[in-house]
Amino acid sequence: MSETITVRLDKWLWAARFFKTRSIATQAVNGGKVHCNAKRVKAAKTVQIGDELVIQRGQVTCTVIVDGLNDKRRPAKEAVALYTETPDSIKSREESSEQKRLMRTINGNYGPQKRPSKRDRRLIINFTRKSEIMELRDEEN
């Protein structure tokens, strides 16, 4: 992890374990999900120590400062040493996860609590077939 090496942005994101593969990291950068120093960049941009990266993965957005460079994917403990997440980013990420948790408790789980039994599946099939039959009758008339 020396300062003399140059690392592409997509390769650094992969090595820092923000994305599972380099191609996914490249797609994210080219899709505008990663900004370097408040600018939209391309995947081939070289990362330097001290750069500020804003990375959006799904609903989660995190802001990190590059502390080290590495072009090889190392264990997670070593990957965490490549960056420092900003306090504002940590706070907003925790707040959003708390909101998601609260929404789950408020809305409850409206999906099925268990897999349907054989009888339940027959009832579902009969119900859907009846609606199909009704649609066919309406089309004929």
Side-chain angles (χ1 to χ4, degrees):
M1 288 197 282
S2 66
E3 286 83 15
T4 58
I5 64 169
T6 59
V7 181
R8 290 172 49 115
L9 178 60
D10 60 343
K11 204 167 190 179
W12 186 88
L13 290 167
W14 168 74
R17 296 181 170 262
F18 282 102
F19 296 99
K20 194 170 185 178
T21 64
R22 239 182 101 187
S23 63
I24 294 172
T26 304
Q27 288 174 355
V29 174
N30 292 336
K33 304 292 185 191
V34 179
H35 290 74
C36 181
N37 297 326
K39 295 178 186 169
R40 187 170 173 172
V41 292
K42 294 185 178 181
K45 183 192 182 328
T46 57
V47 179
Q48 298 173 354
I49 293 177
D51 283 350
E52 181 181 74
L53 301 176
V54 179
I55 304 162
Q56 182 180 351
R57 292 182 298 169
Q59 300 294 325
V60 179
T61 302
C62 57
T63 305
V64 298
I65 307 294
V66 177
D67 290 337
L69 301 175
N70 200 351
D71 60 348
K72 302 274 192 277
R73 192 168 169 102
R74 306 289 301 151
K77 288 182 180 180
E78 292 179 31
V80 174
L82 296 177
Y83 62 90
T84 305
E85 189 171 3
T86 61
D88 292 339
S89 174
I90 294 170
K91 183 179 176 185
S92 66
R93 191 168 40 85
E94 288 174 352
E95 286 174 356
S96 67
S97 67
E98 181 67 20
Q99 282 181 339
K100 285 181 192 175
R101 189 185 65 77
L102 289 174
M103 289 305 289
R104 279 196 305 266
T105 59
I106 291 170
N107 293 337
N109 189 1
Y110 291 112
Q113 300 298 320
K114 60 181 181 182
R115 291 180 59 185
S117 66
K118 191 171 187 177
R119 181 176 179 273
D120 293 336
R121 279 196 303 275
R122 285 186 190 139
L123 292 172
I124 292 169
I125 290 169
N126 286 337
F127 180 77
T128 55
R129 283 189 184 155
K130 283 182 185 176
S131 64
E132 290 172 4
I133 292 169
M134 295 302 277
E135 288 176 12
L136 290 173
R137 285 184 188 163
D138 290 340
E139 288 176 6
E140 290 174 1
N141 295 332

